[in-house]
Amino acid sequence: MLNSLITSKTRINLLLKFFLNPGTKAYLRELAAEFGESTNAIRVELNRLSEAKLLQSTNLGRKVIYRANNKHNLFRDIQSVVRKYVGLDRLVEDVVNRLGSIDAAYVIGDYARGIDSGLIDIVLIGTVDSDELENFVLKTGDLIDRKIRPLVLNNEEFEKLRVRLDIDHALPIWNKAKD
């Protein structure tokens, strides 16, 4: 869907990168290496998104660091479209409604870094029905055309693995205390 609305693959990659997890920051050469594209192609799209005020930039020495402008009027709308594109909206709905007693859920790995790799690593904290989880992984994965790799932990296990899982840079998709 997004591919037919936005014809620039580079622009789609940048929107995914910055709007999947709005805490993401990156600079030109880093993005060019990650996307396997020329710095010129990346620069053109960064300039367009910056001119539209969708991205903010700050100078850090000789580097210009870019990040999503979460104060832009369209920020939530673009983030919603990007999440729907990768299927996170359906993923959250299924996690909450079908799996059991979930205290929190996080997306880690590539998607948390804004990379649409086709593999979604999800950490679930709580008690989960293993049969439902298996069905969830198969059905939701097929619906969103991505492979889902779940990790279920209780609260104690989660606290022990928090640093290893890099939860500070994860994408929180559900928190029982907040929702």
Side-chain angles (χ1 to χ4, degrees):
M1 172 200 80
L2 202 55
N3 304 18
S4 55
L5 291 174
I6 301 172
T7 56
S8 168
K9 182 181 129 197
T10 304
R11 191 173 312 147
I12 290 172
N13 285 337
L14 289 171
L15 290 172
L16 290 170
K17 176 79 175 173
F18 292 111
F19 285 86
L20 268 178
N21 188 347
T24 300
K25 296 177 183 177
Y27 61 94
L28 177 65
R29 291 197 187 280
E30 174 184 28
L31 292 165
E34 181 178 314
F35 298 158
E37 296 188 38
S38 72
T39 55
N40 192 44
I42 302 290
R43 182 180 296 111
V44 166
E45 294 302 335
L46 286 171
N47 288 341
R48 286 184 179 149
L49 293 171
S50 294
E51 286 170 18
K53 303 206 182 324
L54 293 171
L55 295 181
Q56 294 178 322
S57 61
T58 54
N59 292 326
L60 184 64
R62 292 177 52 185
K63 294 179 187 173
V64 177
I65 307 295
Y66 294 90
R67 65 181 178 87
N69 178 3
N70 60 5
K71 292 183 180 16
H72 193 283
N73 290 340
L74 296 175
F75 173 80
R76 293 273 177 235
D77 296 322
I78 293 171
Q79 188 178 46
S80 176
V81 168
V82 167
R83 285 183 172 193
K84 285 179 180 167
Y85 173 72
V86 296
L88 288 180
D89 61 325
R90 189 166 296 192
L91 183 69
V92 172
E93 186 178 310
D94 284 353
V95 164
V96 173
N97 293 328
R98 296 181 37 208
L99 291 184
S101 178
I102 305 291
D103 295 327
Y106 298 90
V107 172
I108 60 172
D110 287 347
Y111 276 89
R113 291 188 301 274
I115 302 167
D116 186 3
S117 65
L119 176 65
I120 299 176
D121 289 309
I122 183 169
V123 177
L124 304 169
I125 297 96
T127 307
V128 174
D129 178 314
S130 58
D131 291 335
E132 277 298 320
L133 178 61
E134 190 174 325
N135 285 333
F136 158 76
V137 167
L138 293 174
K139 288 181 182 176
T140 305
D142 286 344
L143 283 171
I144 65 175
D145 196 29
R146 284 163 178 74
K147 180 163 177 43
I148 300 169
R149 188 168 51 184
L151 173 62
V152 180
L153 303 169
N154 62 37
N155 285 311
E156 187 178 303
E157 293 168 326
F158 174 69
E159 288 305 322
K160 286 181 184 175
L161 293 174
R162 183 180 194 92
V163 172
R164 261 174 118 187
L165 295 172
D166 197 18
I167 293 301
D168 290 338
H169 296 103
L171 179 60
I173 58 172
W174 169 253
N175 187 327
K176 190 175 189 175
K178 291 180 183 174
D179 292 334

